[in-house]
């Protein structure tokens, strides 16, 4: 096989959901965030697998993603849309029976005019200043919204991956001030918020990245394995160079393998010299620049060069690779390319 191979373990995603669910008490619902095509791994397959595990609520970023999830899981799941009710969304929200999380007075007006009686939730801003209704608008609209019966009132934490950050407590207090006493379900925590403990859990938690094996859920089961075939191996003599801009020079005679994966597959150039790939258990350094379709690897220390080298797996997770590239696991996951041969393991 000439292409790199991405294996996605759906049972590991289900196991991560179960492990996160176990961190909350029984009255707290654990939903699943499957935006950005399930963090790059297929929203349909992930949602279908989790639905079979008993997940009842899903969250997506935009309405069109919600339609895909609806087709995957059938009519009974609750599917929430973070971007709310945007212009031209009414048809897809209604036909797929999605629940927009209304973010502004404009969205409230649009929803009540264009989809009267249809379900909705409310997203409040508690300090992140990204998405959600401002406290003053909430004060003005609160009684109208409450009498219409939102399915969920939620907000999002800006710094939940840093447990000691004072922003967490500040946002928690603000969320209490804005919502204490309402008769509707509340949600504040994503993956990081679940790990902050029960004060942050309210009625529903919304993990995303932890399901897919990423930090801050450090106990996660790895979900993805990525291997790339070795196209050729050559001897590079001392003072010869490898790659664009002559970016690596051999000090001693070296064996360099070229594998079929590159930045067009989401292996961003920034990971260059600090990244490794694995031959079985043995790490092998990347040498030279990452090209569009190819990466060069120093394999001098191997007795035998295998047919495939492993880029992601148990030895190197998405966050390890992210660190080598100066980014975060979320970006590595959602950048995984369309050229990979994808295999889904586990029941689906
Ligand atoms: C992406 C997102 C989540 C999930 O966050 P993770 O850090 O991936 O768990 C939850 N809520 C909102 C509003 C989001 O945008």
């Amino acid at each position: 096989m000439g292409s790199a191979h991405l294996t996605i373990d759906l049972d590991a995603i289900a196991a991560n959901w179960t492990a996160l669910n176990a961190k909350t008490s029984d009255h707290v619902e654990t939903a699943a965030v499957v935006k950005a095509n399930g963090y790059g791994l297929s929203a349909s397959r992930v949602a279908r697998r989790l639905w079979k595990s008993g997940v009842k609520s899903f969250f997506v970023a935009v309405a069109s993603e919600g339609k895909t999830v609806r087709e995957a899981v059938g009519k009974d799941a609750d599917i929430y849309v973070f971007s709310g009710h945007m212009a031209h969304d009414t048809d897809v929200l209604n036909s797929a029976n999605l629940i927009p999380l209304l973010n502004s007075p404009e969205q409230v007006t649009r929803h009540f005019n264009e989809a009267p009686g249809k379900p909705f939730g409310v997203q409040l801003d508690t300090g992140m200043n990204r998405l959600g209704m401002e406290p003053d608008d909430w004060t003005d609209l609160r009684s109208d919204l409450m009498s219409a019966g939102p399915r969920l009132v939620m907000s999002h934490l800006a710094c939940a991956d840093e447990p000691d950050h004072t922003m967490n407590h500040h946002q928690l207090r603000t969320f209490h001030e804005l919502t204490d006493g309402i008769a509707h379900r509340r949600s504040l925590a994503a993956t990081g918020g679940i790990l902050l403990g029960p004060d942050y859990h309210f009625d529903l938690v919304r993990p995303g990245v932890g399901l897919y094996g990423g930090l801050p859920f450090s106990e996660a089961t790895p979900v993805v394995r990525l291997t790339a075939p070795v196209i050729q191996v050559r001897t590079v003599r001392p003072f010869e160079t490898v790659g664009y801009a002559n970016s690596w020079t051999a000090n001693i005679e070296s064996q360099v393998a070229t594998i079929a994966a590159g930045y067009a597959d989401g292996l961003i150039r920034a990971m260059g010299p600090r990244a490794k790939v694995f031959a079985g258990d043995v790490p092998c350094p990347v040498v030279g620049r990452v090209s569009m379709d190819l990466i060069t690897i120093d394999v001098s220390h191997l007795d035998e060069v295998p047919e495939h080298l492993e880029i992601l797996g148990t030895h190197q997770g998405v966050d390890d690779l992210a660190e080598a590239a100066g980014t975060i696991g979320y970006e590595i996951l959602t950048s995984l390319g369309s050229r990979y041969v994808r295999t889904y393991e586990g029941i689906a």
Side-chain angles (χ1 to χ4, degrees), residues 57-60 78-82 99 101 151-152 185:
S57 301
F58 298 88
F59 288 78
V60 295
D78 286 342
I79 303 173
Y80 293 88
V81 181
F82 288 133
I99 308 172
L101 291 153
R151 297 286 296 275
L152 191 69
R185 296 172 84 210

Side-chain angles (χ1 to χ4, degrees), residues 18-283:
T18 302
L20 288 165
N21 184 44
K23 295 189 182 296
T24 66
S25 62
D26 288 346
H27 75 273
V28 178
E29 179 182 354
T30 302
V33 178
V34 294
K35 63 191 180 188
N37 194 26
Y39 289 52
L41 303 182
S42 172
S44 306
R45 290 179 192 260
V46 170
R48 203 177 305 134
R49 177 66 186 86
L50 291 174
W51 173 253
K52 284 187 177 156
S53 285
V55 179
K56 298 286 182 232
S57 301
F58 298 88
F59 288 78
V60 295
V62 295
S64 59
E65 296 178 332
K67 181 171 186 282
T68 303
V69 174
R70 176 63 71 206
E71 285 159 7
V73 298
K75 64 178 178 32
D76 292 330
D78 286 342
I79 303 173
Y80 293 88
V81 181
F82 288 133
S83 60
H85 193 147
M86 310 229 297
H88 315 298
D89 274 354
T90 308
D91 286 348
V92 59
L93 290 171
N94 285 347
S95 64
N97 191 22
L98 308 176
I99 308 172
L101 291 153
L102 305 180
N103 288 299
S104 64
E106 293 72 29
Q107 289 201 348
V108 173
T109 304
R110 183 179 297 126
H111 189 74
F112 286 3
N113 287 339
E114 297 184 17
K118 297 287 183 190
F120 68 96
V122 180
Q123 182 159 204
L124 301 175
D125 180 51
T126 52
M128 189 176 183
N129 284 308
R130 186 184 67 167
L131 210 52
M133 209 171 287
E134 288 288 324
D136 287 350
D137 293 327
W138 169 241
T139 305
D140 293 344
L141 292 168
R142 177 171 166 158
S143 65
D144 287 352
L145 287 164
M146 291 303 100
S147 54
R151 297 286 296 275
L152 191 69
V153 177
M154 60 157 283
S155 187
H156 191 51
L157 297 168
C159 304
D161 58 340
E162 294 179 59
D164 297 329
H165 204 297
T166 55
M167 186 67 168
N168 295 322
H169 193 251
H170 168 73
Q171 287 191 270
L172 177 64
R173 207 170 52 231
T174 304
F175 193 58
H176 273 296
E177 284 164 11
L178 294 176
T179 64
D180 276 356
I182 66 171
H184 305 281
R185 296 172 84 210
R186 295 186 285 178
S187 175
L188 182 61
T191 303
I194 294 173
L195 304 175
L196 293 178
D199 289 351
Y200 288 82
H201 294 172
F202 295 88
D203 301 300
L204 178 148
V205 294
R206 320 177 303 269
V209 75
L211 303 174
Y212 307 96
L215 287 175
F217 187 35
S218 54
E219 301 155 34
T221 303
V223 168
V224 292
R225 177 162 188 260
L226 176 62
T227 63
V230 175
I231 306 172
Q232 68 173 150
V233 182
R234 78 184 67 247
T235 301
V236 178
R237 289 191 299 276
F239 310 115
E240 283 192 310
T241 58
V242 172
Y244 281 124
N246 290 354
S247 44
W248 186 78
T249 306
N251 294 324
I252 54 169
E253 184 170 296
S254 303
Q255 298 296 309
V256 172
T258 303
I259 60 173
Y263 63 75
D265 303 294
L267 302 171
I268 57 177
R269 289 168 74 244
M271 78 179 221
R274 285 195 293 159
K276 300 185 284 273
V277 302
F278 284 82
D281 298 332
V282 184

